[in-house]
Amino acid sequence: TLYQAHIYISDNDKDRALEAYTQLITENSQQPKAFYERGNIYSSMSEYENAINDYSRSIDLSPEYDEAYLKRGYTYFILEDYNHAINDFASAIEYNPNDIEAHFNRGLSYSKINEWDKAMQDLDSVISLDSKNNKAYFNRGLAHYHQGEYEKALDDMDTTIRLAHNIPEAYN
């Protein structure tokens, strides 16, 4: 049952949780949450292709499931499939426009493919939603740097240092 699966997850017994979600799916293959949760387990076990399959099935069953897009996007990002990651983060944003994680991760994905203007747009969105997000300032500073905008990069790194002293790269 769903309750048992949650207990196994809280006990960090991934194998039994996986069995429980698989049993739930076998009993009713129309449960997007069960596919989503099983995808999370697969992802935590580094079984990324299985995770993507389950997130995809969850999205097929519930096309507006923004969290499933977000998690599938994370998984594509881990696999360095940045274009698919960008598409999934965009879908998550479409269904939840104020999703800071989706904007942030789409910005990082754009950075990975050197799309600095698009990366900055997403990081600007993060900062407008959370003005104390030091990681957004740091990554926007990197984007400015890569575009040769050194003063803006320095400003963002100064803000990063002011907000969080635990990012040593900001001092370089």
Side-chain angles (χ1 to χ4, degrees), residues 74-93:
Y74 287 148
T75 308
Y76 281 128
F77 186 90
I78 290 167
L79 294 173
E80 299 179 4
D81 185 346
Y82 302 118
N83 288 317
H84 278 106
I86 288 166
N87 290 337
D88 277 348
F89 295 137
S91 294
I93 292 166

Side-chain angles (χ1 to χ4, degrees), residues 5 40 44 56 60 79 90 92-93 107 140 145 158 165 170-171:
N40 288 339
S44 73
S56 296
D60 289 343
L79 294 173
I93 292 166
R140 190 177 71 178
Y145 177 82
D158 285 344
H165 303 286
Y171 292 92

Side-chain angles (χ1 to χ4, degrees), residues 8 12 14 20 31 40 46 59 64 69 88 102 104 114 125 127 139 141 144 168:
Y8 294 140
N12 203 29
K14 295 174 185 175
Q31 297 182 53
N40 288 339
S46 301
I59 291 165
E64 295 181 9
Y69 286 108
D88 277 348
F104 182 79
N114 300 320
S125 295
I127 292 166
N139 284 287
H144 282 304

Side-chain angles (χ1 to χ4, degrees), residues 8-163:
Y8 294 140
I9 289 173
S10 67
D11 290 341
N12 203 29
D13 188 345
K14 295 174 185 175
D15 292 328
R16 291 183 80 183
L18 196 59
E19 289 174 19
Y21 281 115
T22 299
Q23 179 64 35
L24 281 168
I25 290 166
T26 300
E27 292 169 6
N28 180 357
S29 64
Q30 301 301 305
Q31 297 182 53
K33 182 77 170 167
F35 283 101
Y36 171 81
E37 294 294 347
R38 191 174 71 174
N40 288 339
I41 296 167
Y42 279 132
S43 183
S44 73
M45 298 170 75
S46 301
E47 294 185 26
Y48 300 122
E49 293 303 324
N50 287 331
I52 287 170
N53 290 337
D54 275 357
Y55 294 138
S56 296
R57 183 70 177 126
S58 181
I59 291 165
D60 289 343
L61 293 169
S62 182
E64 295 181 9
Y65 200 166
D66 61 305
E67 282 291 314
Y69 286 108
L70 185 66
K71 292 293 182 95
R72 190 173 69 179
Y74 287 148
T75 308
Y76 281 128
F77 186 90
I78 290 167
L79 294 173
E80 299 179 4
D81 185 346
Y82 302 118
N83 288 317
H84 278 106
I86 288 166
N87 290 337
D88 277 348
F89 295 137
S91 294
I93 292 166
E94 178 183 340
Y95 295 115
N96 185 358
N98 294 325
D99 188 326
I100 291 171
E101 289 181 67
H103 283 284
F104 182 79
N105 286 295
R106 187 173 68 177
L108 288 183
S109 298
Y110 279 128
S111 294
K112 292 290 189 178
I113 59 172
N114 300 320
E115 293 277 348
W116 302 111
D117 286 335
K118 292 178 181 178
M120 280 195 286
Q121 288 174 6
D122 276 319
L123 296 168
D124 286 344
S125 295
V126 172
I127 292 166
S128 72
L129 293 166
D130 177 8
S131 64
K132 297 189 184 306
N133 192 310
N134 60 305
K135 292 179 182 178
Y137 283 103
F138 176 77
N139 284 287
R140 190 177 71 178
L142 290 177
H144 282 304
Y145 177 82
H146 285 286
Q147 290 195 301
E149 299 171 341
Y150 302 117
E151 285 298 318
K152 290 180 180 179
L154 188 57
D155 288 344
D156 278 347
M157 292 305 163
D158 285 344
T159 302
T160 300
I161 292 166
R162 197 172 60 252
L163 292 173

